[in-house]
Amino acid sequence: MNNSIKIEDIKEHFDKDKHLIFGYTPMCGTCKISERMLDIANDIEQLPLKKIDLNFHKYFSEEYKIMSVPVLLIMDKDKEVDRIYAFQSVPYLLEKLKK
């Protein structure tokens, strides 16, 4: 079973003023912790969120010059407005998401 996401799915929220793209890999322990912190923060903020396994999206990683995982792209339509590699804490994420 192939659970990869098609490019149309990654760009699903590109019509929204503010949305999130979370890039991870399944074997990354830090990704799991960061994803949990992001889920808690986004339960409060309620922003459109797309989670992508970057193992299946080499083109996306190259296009956005992603250097490591986990990564959170804060987007305005199809433009990146902020990028987070070090998630630090839920309050830190909330502060970043509210900007």
Side-chain angles (χ1 to χ4, degrees):
M1 183 172 136
N2 184 352
N3 64 353
S4 66
I5 298 171
K6 299 181 185 107
I7 184 63
E8 300 82 34
D9 291 333
I10 292 173
K11 296 186 176 185
E12 174 185 353
H13 301 300
F14 276 27
D15 62 334
K16 307 277 190 319
D17 289 337
K18 191 171 189 181
H19 63 98
L20 310 173
I21 300 174
F22 175 71
Y24 68 94
T25 58
M27 298 304 291
C28 165
T30 305
C31 294
K32 290 176 181 24
I33 294 166
S34 298
E35 181 178 17
R36 183 70 187 122
M37 288 192 298
L38 175 59
D39 287 345
I40 292 167
N42 203 41
D43 278 350
I44 296 167
E45 289 301 305
Q46 299 287 306
L47 295 170
L49 170 62
K50 183 61 64 181
K51 297 179 181 181
I52 57 171
D53 179 346
L54 292 176
N55 286 328
F56 294 106
H57 298 288
K58 183 177 180 183
Y59 65 88
F60 184 83
S61 296
E62 290 170 356
E63 180 183 348
Y64 283 87
K65 297 177 175 53
I66 294 171
M67 299 297 162
S68 66
V69 291
V71 62
L72 180 65
L73 303 177
I74 301 174
M75 308 288 291
D76 179 355
K77 298 193 182 344
D78 63 343
K79 305 282 188 266
E80 178 184 340
V81 294
D82 201 358
R83 177 180 299 215
I84 301 169
Y85 286 113
F87 286 52
Q88 298 181 24
S89 67
V90 172
Y92 172 80
L93 285 175
L94 278 169
E95 183 180 316
K96 290 294 217 172
L97 297 181
K98 287 179 180 181
K99 286 184 180 177

